[in-house]
Amino acid sequence: MTDRSLLILPGDGIGPEVMAEVRKIIDWFGTRGLAFDVSEDLVGGAAYDAHGTPLTDATMAKAQEVDAVLLGAVGGPKYDVLDFSVKPERGLLRLRKEMDLYANLRPAQCFDALADFSSLKKDIVAGLDIMIIRELTSGVYFGEPRGIHTEGNERVGVNTQRYTESEIARVARSAFELARKRDNRVCSMEKANVMESGVLWRDVVQEIHDAEYPDVELSHMYADAGAMQLTRWPKQFDVIVTDNLFGDLLSDLAAMLTGSLGMLPSASLGAPMENGRPKALYEPVHGSAPDIAGQGKANPIACILSFAMALRYSFDLGDEADRVEAAVETVLADGLRTADLLGEEGMTPVSTAEMGDAIVARLAAG
Ligand code: NAD
C-alpha cells in the first residue's frame, strides 16, 4: 500500500499513446520501491463514447479524492459536431472548475540539445529554466458585467477585470512556495500604471511577501515590459506570477522560446487538501494531435515531464523529478528525436514507444 494516489485520464487522440510511456516510468519507480496507487478512467471524447458525457460524476468524484490527476489530451474532429455542453473540452473545464485549480504552472525549460529549435538565438535560450504562474479562475475571463449590448445605434462589448484580495493572495502564495523550491525569486507582472486591479495586485503580492515570505526575492514589472524582457533575456527570471489575461499571453510566449509543443508540460494547482498536498491536475500543453494519432509518432516527453512535475509538486519528490528530467535531457543529448524534433538532415525519428523506452533505460542506468 502507498499513500500516493494518482488518477490517470489518457483521453483522446495521442493522449493514450503518450500516457502509455508515462506508465512505463511509473512502473519503473514501482520496481524501485516507490509505488503509486494508480487508477485509470475516461475523459473527453472517450468518456462521451462510453457514457454520453465527457466526464462522469463518478470520475469527477475520484479526481477530488486523489493526490494528483494526470491527463493526456482531449478532443478530435469526430466530436466537433457535438453540442457545446458535451464537447470533450467540457470534461477538462469541469475538472479545472470543480477542483478550483487557481494556479496554472507553465515551465519554459530549454534543453541544450534542442536550443536550435527556438526562434531566438541559441545563447539566449540554452539552459533556460523559468516558471510562469498564471491565475486561472478569475480576472477578465470571468468578471461581471460582461456581454455585448447596444448603446444608441452601435453595439458595445464589455468584459470586466476583477480581482479580490484573497484571489491575488492565494496565487501569490503559490508563487512564493514554488520559488522556495527553485531559485527563490519571484517577479510579479501587472499593469499597475493603468489598471486599478493592477494596483491592488501589486499591493497584495507585496503584503503577502513582507508578512510571510521575506526570504524570497520579489520584484514587480509591468506586463508589457515583461513581454519584452522575456524575449530579450528570459534567463533573468525564475518564477513569474501574473493574472489570467497576461498569463495567457506570457505563458504562450515563453513556451515558444523553447521550440516544440511536444516538449511542454503544465500543472494546475488548487488549495491544499487535508494531507497538505494541493489539489492538482498535470497535463501536457499540447492537444490530441489527431493528424498523427495512432501512428506512433507522438512525442511523449511533454506528458513525461508533466509526471515529473507531479513528483515535485504533489509528492515532494524533487530528487526523483530531477532524475526524470535528467534522463530526458540525456536521451535528447544522445540524439534521439521523435518526428516533431527532427531538425538536421539525415536524422531518423524514433517512435513514441522507443522514446519512452530510452528514457526508462536511462533512468535505470542511473
Ligand atoms: P494539437 O496540440 O493537438 O496539435 C498541433 C500540432 O502539433 C499538430 O500538428 C500535432 O501533430 C502537433 N503535436 C501536438 N502534440 C504533439 C506531440 N506530443 N508530438 C508530436 N507532435 C505534436 O492542437 P490542435 O491540432 O489545434 O488540436 C487538436 C485537438 O486537440 C482539438 O480537438 C483541440 O480542441 C484539442 N486540444 C486539446 C487540448 C487539451 O486537451 N488540453 C489542448 C489543445 C487542443
Side-chain angles (χ1 to χ4, degrees), residues 180 288 363:
R180 281 181 172 165
S288 58
L363 273 173

Side-chain angles (χ1 to χ4, degrees), residues 4-303:
R4 288 178 288 267
S5 58
L6 198 56
L7 171 62
I8 290 190
L9 302 173
D12 308 320
I14 62 169
E17 297 169 50
V18 295
M19 200 60 86
E21 304 313 307
V22 175
R23 286 302 281 256
K24 291 177 184 171
I25 292 175
I26 294 172
D27 291 347
W28 181 81
F29 276 117
T31 64
R32 294 298 167 114
L34 193 65
F36 293 85
D37 178 6
V38 182
S39 51
E40 189 165 320
D41 214 326
L42 302 174
V43 70
Y48 178 81
D49 287 341
H51 305 295
T53 169
L55 188 77
T56 65
D57 291 344
T59 312
M60 186 65 240
K62 226 187 274 179
Q64 296 281 21
E65 279 165 20
V66 293
D67 293 319
V69 179
L70 189 59
L71 185 139
V74 296
K78 179 181 163 193
Y79 307 105
D80 286 349
V81 294
L82 293 181
D83 183 71
F84 187 67
S85 63
V86 288
K87 275 195 189 297
E89 292 75 11
R90 300 298 296 178
L92 181 53
L93 292 176
R94 183 176 176 198
L95 281 165
R96 287 180 183 154
K97 183 164 185 279
E98 295 193 17
M99 292 170 76
D100 196 13
L101 303 172
Y102 53 79
N104 182 231
L105 279 56
R106 292 267 297 263
Q109 195 174 8
C110 186
F111 294 99
D112 284 355
L114 298 183
D116 285 331
F117 263 83
S118 175
S119 50
L120 297 189
K121 291 192 196 100
K122 189 169 179 169
D123 66 312
I124 293 182
V125 291
L128 178 73
D129 180 10
I130 62 178
M131 176 76 79
I132 303 209
I133 302 186
R134 163 188 173 192
E135 198 290 325
L136 200 60
T137 52
S138 185
V140 74
Y141 293 159
F142 296 93
E144 300 281 349
R146 62 184 297 156
I148 299 175
H149 63 272
T150 302
E151 282 180 22
N153 56 5
E154 65 175 351
R155 289 175 300 160
V156 180
V158 177
N159 288 94
T160 303
Q161 167 85 333
R162 181 179 189 278
Y163 270 107
T164 64
E165 284 186 272
S166 54
E167 286 167 343
I168 301 168
R170 64 184 189 173
V171 75
R173 285 193 184 94
S174 298
F176 291 126
E177 291 289 341
L178 217 79
R180 281 181 172 165
K181 293 184 179 173
R182 296 172 46 94
D183 200 34
N184 218 29
R185 293 181 292 124
V186 170
C187 180
S188 170
M189 294 188 185
E190 26 54 23
K191 290 281 288 176
N193 49 343
V194 285
M195 297 171 74
E196 283 75 8
S197 56
V199 173
L200 183 70
W201 182 282
R202 187 175 281 224
D203 284 355
V204 173
V205 172
Q206 188 69 51
E207 286 162 17
I208 296 292
H209 170 267
D210 297 349
E212 300 172 33
Y213 301 91
D215 55 301
V216 181
E217 189 184 313
L218 171 65
S219 58
H220 302 274
M221 200 177 273
Y222 297 137
D224 50 342
M228 283 198 278
Q229 291 301 326
L230 267 172
T231 45
R232 191 187 73 83
W233 191 242
K235 286 186 227 175
Q236 69 185 279
F237 298 110
D238 178 28
V239 174
I240 292 172
V241 62
T242 188
D243 73 14
N244 204 342
L245 173 63
F246 298 137
D248 197 1
L249 307 181
L250 294 172
S251 62
D252 272 7
L253 187 160
M256 279 303 105
L257 298 176
T258 67
S260 168
L261 206 48
M263 295 292 300
L264 298 169
S266 80
S268 300
L269 306 181
M273 299 182 286
E274 259 174 35
N275 63 8
R277 292 173 178 159
K279 291 256 180 196
L281 170 75
Y282 300 87
E283 54 180 324
V285 169
H286 63 71
S288 58
D291 52 334
I292 57 166
Q295 301 171 34
K297 287 184 182 168
N299 183 350
I301 293 179
C303 202

